[in-house]
Amino acid sequence: MRNQQTKQWVVDNDVDSVLTSTEILEAAQQIIHNHVVAFPTETVYGLGGNAKSDEAITRIFAAKGRPSDNPLIVHIATKDQVEKYVEQIPAKARQLMDAFWPGPLTIVFRHNHTLSTKVTAGLPTVAIRMPDHPVALALIHAADLPIAAPSANRSGRPSPTTAAHVNDDLNGRIAGILDGGPTGVGVESTVVDCSSEDVMILRPGGATKEAIERVIGEITVDPALTQLDEAPRSPGMKYTHYAPTAPLTLVDGDFRYFCEKINDARAEGKKVGALITDEYRGETNATKEVLLGSVNNLSTVAKQLYPSLRSFAEDEVDVIFAQVFPETELGSAIMNRLRKAAGGTVVRQR
Ligand code: TXA
Ligand code: MG
């Protein structure tokens, strides 16, 4: 239901003025009263609510249309706030906080039962991060509360990297949107589980495995992440997230193979979208090419990924083919999101 007046607050990202900005203070009042507002972080826009309030968290799940068994990330403004919500801070978690916060790394701890059980979906653990964005930090300061925030998209849609994306998905469903301009990283934070001895990456993201390993040594990656990589799977499975308006297929092969896939679909009379890097520009026979930047600059690809997935308009294409990326550095997060957008559908060159 889109039956709410959604306020639009445009804020300047200037670090000095942001703390006293009336827009931020107004948005913080909404949070204090257990309403939900979208705000920019360095990764993607979040949909924030008071992490201590069941009422606020219920509103977040309702606005997103998100299943309530998927827990939320709690955002804090200073490192010492972690202690208020967790049983203890393990040594490796402390090292990661010192190395990456503020920044795109979320750490999972055992919690101490002070937050809403709806935030943690009833789990014994809680995911916490300190975002590296002046507007996010100022909002948390002004509300003086921990802010639970999933990405501010309708469930299943690509995450929003601009206030306009949030508006498309959530206008009329939330109290307001703080517009701080486009986000920087473009993919969500990396989630690292530090709640047991076996420290593990649960979701690849803005902080790379390589960078994490430089701080705490070798780390395992949740095997469930790579299982998705198995053989072609049919679309529309439970993995479908970040879904564009037409079915997406990942093409694991060279340029000639990529073009073959496009030509086959064209021959069937389909309108074809191509999600490609600049190197393929103008060289495919696609109906519409959407460019992700150079294959040699994965931070641009990460930044362009969600806006690009959103840029295929309804009815514009029947199918979308996307290039694959090397799974090192930011490439791991990019491929994880592309696989989910494809619902596991990958075609491979023999
Ligand atoms: O960059 C980000 O992380 C963005 C911005 C807004 O901060 N937030 C975000 O939230 O991506 P969301 O809700 O879309 O993703 C949260 C992820 C989910 O995969 C969820 O399953 C996982 O974190 N998560 C949350 N709490 C957890 C917990 N206690 N244990 C394991 N995973 C958890
Ligand atoms: Mg999300």
Side-chain angles (χ1 to χ4, degrees), residues 11-21 24 77 102 130-139 141 180:
V11 273
D12 178 345
N13 283 338
D14 180 63
V15 183
D16 296 323
S17 66
V18 87
L19 277 169
T20 53
S21 133
I24 301 243
M130 177 180 171
D132 187 15
H133 195 292
V135 173
L137 294 172
L139 180 68
H141 271 301

Side-chain angles (χ1 to χ4, degrees), residues 4 17 41 44 63 69 79 96 101 116 129 139 141 148 154 159 195 209 231 270 272 287 290 303 313 331 342 346:
Q4 227 184 109
S17 66
T41 79
V44 300
D69 62 353
K79 287 181 203 167
L96 291 172
W101 285 3
S116 162
R129 87 175 189 102
L139 180 68
H141 271 301
R154 282 286 285 175
S159 299
S195 67
K209 177 171 187 271
K270 289 182 176 148
V272 177
T287 319
V290 171
K303 217 178 285 208
V346 185

Side-chain angles (χ1 to χ4, degrees), residues 44 64 66 70 150-153 157 159 188 203 242 306:
V44 300
K64 277 188 65 92
R66 171 161 168 149
N70 194 359
S151 49
N153 50 284
R157 294 262 295 149
S159 299
E188 298 87 340
R203 175 177 76 179
Y242 317 115
Y306 291 139

Side-chain angles (χ1 to χ4, degrees), residues 1-333:
M1 271 188 313
R2 294 183 183 253
N3 57 4
Q4 227 184 109
Q5 175 78 25
T6 300
K7 271 206 99 154
Q8 313 278 335
W9 299 285
V10 178
V11 273
D12 178 345
N13 283 338
D14 180 63
V15 183
D16 296 323
S17 66
V18 87
L19 277 169
T20 53
S21 133
T22 53
E23 291 80 12
I24 301 243
L25 297 178
E26 261 187 56
Q29 279 305 312
Q30 294 294 331
I31 299 274
I32 290 165
H33 290 101
N34 298 334
H35 290 288
V36 299
V37 300
F39 63 96
T41 79
E42 81 280 31
T43 56
V44 300
Y45 274 73
L47 178 59
N50 177 1
K52 292 180 171 175
S53 156
D54 287 354
E55 187 188 20
I57 306 311
T58 301
R59 284 190 170 132
I60 291 177
F61 282 109
K64 277 188 65 92
R66 171 161 168 149
S68 60
D69 62 353
N70 194 359
L72 308 181
I73 294 171
V74 175
H75 297 67
I76 55 171
T78 59
K79 287 181 203 167
D80 56 9
Q81 288 170 349
V82 173
E83 285 158 30
K84 297 192 203 170
Y85 312 114
V86 306
E87 250 178 23
Q88 53 144 334
I89 302 177
K92 281 188 179 171
R94 172 68 69 187
Q95 285 175 286
L96 291 172
M97 286 161 58
D98 288 340
F100 291 95
W101 285 3
L105 182 81
T106 294
I107 303 176
V108 175
F109 299 89
R110 291 189 70 82
H111 67 68
N112 66 3
H113 303 276
T114 45
L115 299 167
S116 162
T117 54
K118 293 187 185 296
V119 169
T120 56
L123 295 173
T125 55
V126 62
I128 303 184
R129 87 175 189 102
M130 177 180 171
D132 187 15
H133 195 292
V135 173
L137 294 172
L139 180 68
I140 303 165
H141 271 301
D144 197 21
L145 285 168
I147 296 185
S151 49
N153 50 284
R154 282 286 285 175
S155 201
R157 294 262 295 149
S159 299
T161 57
T162 66
H165 296 159
V166 179
N167 199 54
D168 287 345
D169 282 14
L170 299 178
N171 186 30
R173 299 178 193 273
I174 61 176
I177 303 171
L178 275 167
D179 180 353
T183 59
V185 179
V187 292
E188 298 87 340
S189 62
T190 303
V191 178
V192 175
D193 186 354
C194 289
S195 67
S196 71
E197 285 297 299
D198 190 15
V199 173
M200 190 184 277
I201 294 182
L202 302 184
R203 175 177 76 179
T208 66
K209 177 171 187 271
E210 290 84 346
I212 290 169
E213 290 188 328
R214 282 194 286 275
V215 177
I216 57 167
E218 210 178 313
I219 184 172
T220 48
V221 175
D222 182 356
L225 291 174
T226 41
Q227 273 162 22
L228 266 183
D229 188 7
E230 297 301 319
R233 294 181 186 232
S234 56
M237 299 181 37
K238 63 180 175 171
Y239 302 116
T240 308
H241 290 289
Y242 317 115
T245 50
L248 184 141
T249 298
L250 266 173
V251 184
D252 188 356
D254 60 19
F255 178 65
R256 212 178 44 98
Y257 183 71
F258 191 83
C259 290
E260 228 173 80
K261 292 292 134 197
I262 291 178
N263 291 336
D264 290 352
R266 291 300 303 267
E268 289 169 21
K270 289 182 176 148
K271 290 178 283 181
V272 177
L275 190 58
I276 53 176
T277 57
D278 293 353
E279 288 78 9
Y280 285 12
R281 177 185 199 158
E283 303 289 328
T284 79
N285 195 20
T287 319
K288 175 172 174 160
E289 291 181 345
V290 171
L291 302 173
L292 293 165
S294 169
V295 72
N296 299 316
N297 188 347
L298 291 179
S299 50
T300 304
V301 175
K303 217 178 285 208
Q304 293 297 334
L305 185 62
Y306 291 139
S308 299
L309 285 171
R310 279 179 180 260
S311 73
F312 293 98
E314 204 88 51
D315 297 334
E316 192 176 22
V317 294
D318 302 311
V319 289
I320 302 168
F321 291 104
Q323 229 175 294
V324 296
F325 292 85
E327 297 199 49
T328 54
E329 305 285 349
L330 269 178
S332 304

